[in-house]
């Protein structure tokens, strides 16, 4: 029973984490930016981001706890995939996102001469955020693969 519960929490956490990335990246963001004007879409995504990253933090901690409970010696490459996921999520959520939000606020009040520089810096941060998100997604898929290798239904 205990082992089954640990496995369930592990799988649920991992699937919620990867699923939230997939759903946001391929469904929510494209629809929001296609439907709303760019500024409003950016505002909406800005409201979603703290919750989006919180899913990663919570699921990441739950995955860590379950990996520790299953015995660190049996985990192997799963640690690497989990580490990439946590590093990417924390970097984007705690580093890139707050800096991008600050730049967006500065852009609202910026003069026409300041805007090009601020927009270029924002685009750089956005590009980094997309790359981190992709790294977390691919590491999550890798972790799911590593998990499914020994999964028996």
């Amino acid at each position: 029973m205990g082992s089954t519960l640990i496995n369930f929490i592990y799988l649920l956490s991992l699937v919620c984490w990867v699923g939230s990335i997939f759903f946001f990246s391929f469904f929510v963001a494209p629809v929001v930016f296609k439907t709303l004007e760019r500024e409003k879409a950016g505002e909406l995504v800005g409201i979603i981001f703290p919750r989006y990253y919180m899913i990663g933090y919570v699921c990441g901690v739950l995955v860590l706890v379950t990996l520790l409970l299953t015995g660190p010696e049996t985990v192997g490459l799963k640690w690497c995939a989990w580490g990439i996921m946590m590093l990417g999520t924390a970097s984007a959520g705690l580093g890139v996102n707050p800096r991008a939000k600050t730049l967006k606020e500065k852009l609202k009040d910026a003069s026409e001469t300041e805007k090009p520089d601020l927009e270029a810096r924002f685009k750089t941060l956005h590009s980094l955020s997309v790359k981190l998100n992709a790294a977390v997604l691919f590491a999550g898929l890798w972790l799911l693969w590593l998990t499914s290798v020994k999964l028996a239904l």
Side-chain angles (χ1 to χ4, degrees):
M1 171 69 179
S3 154
T4 301
L5 181 60
I6 291 169
N7 289 340
F8 175 75
I9 292 169
Y10 168 79
L11 284 171
L12 181 62
S13 300
L14 182 55
V15 168
C16 284
W17 195 359
V18 171
S20 70
I21 297 166
F22 190 84
F23 185 70
F24 178 80
S25 300
F26 297 104
F27 293 94
V28 174
V31 168
V32 166
F33 279 94
K34 186 176 182 179
T35 307
L36 300 175
E37 65 180 62
R38 189 159 193 78
E39 188 175 320
K40 291 292 182 192
E43 287 176 22
L44 179 58
V45 170
I47 293 167
I48 293 170
F49 271 149
R51 292 161 182 88
Y52 173 77
Y53 291 119
M54 186 57 69
I55 291 171
Y57 307 144
V58 170
C59 290
V61 168
L62 289 171
V63 168
L64 171 64
V65 168
T66 57
L67 288 175
L68 289 171
L69 290 172
T70 60
E73 65 281 349
T74 63
V75 177
L77 287 175
K78 290 179 182 179
W79 285 115
C80 183
W82 173 84
I84 292 169
M85 292 180 76
M86 282 306 295
L87 183 62
T89 300
S91 296
L94 300 173
V96 175
N97 186 52
R99 288 173 38 208
K101 187 175 181 179
T102 301
L103 279 175
K104 274 292 191 188
E105 290 300 317
K106 286 181 181 178
L107 264 167
K108 289 179 184 176
D109 301 324
S111 67
E112 289 304 313
T113 57
E114 296 172 315
K115 279 187 180 182
D117 178 55
L118 292 173
E119 287 171 348
R121 289 169 48 201
F122 179 81
K123 284 181 183 179
T124 300
L125 286 175
H126 179 265
S127 175
L128 177 58
S129 178
V130 169
K131 290 171 185 166
L132 288 168
N133 197 52
V136 175
L137 176 61
F138 287 119
L141 293 172
W142 179 35
L143 186 50
L144 278 170
W145 175 264
L146 292 169
T147 301
S148 70
V149 168
K150 296 189 179 189
L151 186 66
L153 298 178

